[in-house]
Amino acid sequence: MGLELYLDLLSQPCRSIYIFARSNNIPFEFKHVELFKGPSNSEGAGKVSLLKKVPALKDGDFTLAECTAILLYLSRKYNTPDHWYPADIQQRARVDEYLSWHHANIRANAPKTMWIKVLIPLFTGQPLPSEKLQEVMEGLSTSLKQFEERFLQDKDFIIGSEISLADLVAIVELMQPVGVGCDIFEDRPRLREWRRRVEDAVGKELFFQAHEMILNIKELSNIQIDPQLKEQLAPVLMKMLK
């Protein structure tokens, strides 16, 4: 049995794993999960991941959940180029530092743009609260300022002259606002050039293939959402409107 990856490319962590595996020519079977279509569509992932969510990995009898753990597993098993997760202890620590900071900052803010502009209206039928979006964009702006000044600085990539897992995890998250019309790169030339270098490093064709669903997010309104899932999530999402 070969490597299986359970992924929904609407998910940022799933996209990072997909891009990493493809760009490093890691052979795997792509198990496409459509989370918004309800439990039956994520049943396979539920059997693989104890957390019953994507991304999930199955390698023979071995299963694994959580994006960072999967990325590190793949980098070690397939001996990917050193720049992704350097052997040098201090360079590796810089990758770890960013990954630790990322969750409470970029990941805590960037995805909210999609929830507010697309998913909350889709699940609840409620109009977009513009003041809530403004609040989220202000929080994201603070995180982006820290990202540029603390991590990117004047370097090509987060830890130096080559791409690492830190850059990959960051870029997929920052494409989420772009997909809903909040172009966070437009007025930030340093960030915009970093994005261009990341695209070139993984290959533009692969980059845009992975982000195709996000960049055409308006088509999500045509998805038939599982009624049970809608009933479960609508009250939770309504709380975000307050």
Side-chain angles (χ1 to χ4, degrees):
M1 296 175 62
L3 176 68
E4 299 175 358
L5 295 176
Y6 292 76
L7 309 170
D8 183 339
L9 296 185
L10 279 174
S11 156
Q12 310 90 292
C14 288
R15 292 199 301 273
S16 67
I17 291 169
Y18 179 83
I19 291 172
F20 181 73
R22 291 289 192 213
S23 64
N24 284 286
N25 298 312
I26 295 173
F28 69 94
E29 185 177 351
F30 181 15
K31 297 288 191 177
H32 187 203
V33 178
E34 296 181 273
L35 294 176
F36 288 136
K37 291 192 176 181
S40 62
N41 284 275
S42 57
E43 183 178 348
K47 291 178 179 178
V48 171
S49 168
L50 293 176
L51 301 176
K52 300 185 183 300
K53 65 179 185 178
V54 294
L57 171 151
K58 188 173 190 297
D59 191 7
D61 294 329
F62 178 73
T63 60
L64 190 64
E66 295 299 330
C67 173
T68 300
I70 292 173
L71 287 170
L72 294 180
Y73 176 81
L74 294 176
S75 70
R76 290 162 177 155
K77 175 169 181 175
Y78 294 94
N79 195 28
T80 56
D82 184 73
H83 60 81
W84 287 108
Y85 195 58
D88 178 87
I89 190 170
Q90 292 185 353
Q91 289 287 82
R92 178 171 290 192
R94 290 298 181 203
V95 175
D96 293 337
E97 179 184 36
Y98 175 78
L99 294 177
S100 297
W101 177 85
H102 172 86
H103 284 276
N105 294 275
I106 299 297
R107 181 152 179 76
N109 289 298
K112 291 179 182 177
T113 56
M114 177 173 290
W115 284 102
I116 289 172
K117 291 200 72 173
V118 177
L119 298 179
I120 289 177
L122 185 64
F123 274 80
T124 67
Q126 297 296 313
L128 167 70
S130 57
E131 67 277 5
K132 191 67 178 177
L133 179 61
Q134 182 179 352
E135 177 186 324
V136 166
M137 291 305 293
E138 288 172 358
L140 179 55
S141 181
T142 298
S143 293
L144 290 174
K145 187 174 186 292
Q146 293 176 350
F147 176 80
E148 288 190 278
E149 294 178 354
R150 180 179 174 184
F151 292 100
L152 193 55
Q153 300 175 0
D154 59 352
K155 306 186 298 291
D156 287 346
F157 298 96
I158 291 175
I159 64 165
S161 60
E162 292 186 278
I163 192 172
S164 71
L165 292 178
D167 299 281
L168 185 54
V169 168
I171 193 63
V172 295
E173 208 75 56
L174 294 179
M175 290 301 291
Q176 214 77 351
V178 174
V180 295
C182 301
D183 192 346
I184 57 174
F185 298 97
E186 186 176 9
D187 298 321
R188 296 181 174 88
R190 178 164 46 173
L191 199 66
R192 185 170 63 246
E193 286 302 303
W194 165 77
R195 172 186 164 177
R196 179 189 57 79
R197 288 190 290 270
V198 172
E199 290 177 9
D200 289 341
V202 301
K204 287 185 179 294
E205 183 177 355
L206 172 60
F207 184 87
F208 285 102
Q209 180 207 350
H211 288 93
E212 183 178 3
M213 293 176 69
I214 288 299
L215 296 176
N216 293 282
I217 196 63
K218 290 181 180 178
E219 296 179 6
L220 189 64
S221 60
N222 298 322
I223 290 179
Q224 296 297 314
I225 298 175
D226 177 71
Q228 181 181 351
L229 183 64
K230 199 169 187 175
E231 183 179 353
Q232 290 173 346
L233 286 183
V236 177
L237 296 175
M238 284 299 291
K239 291 180 180 180
M240 295 177 64
L241 292 172
K242 298 178 180 179

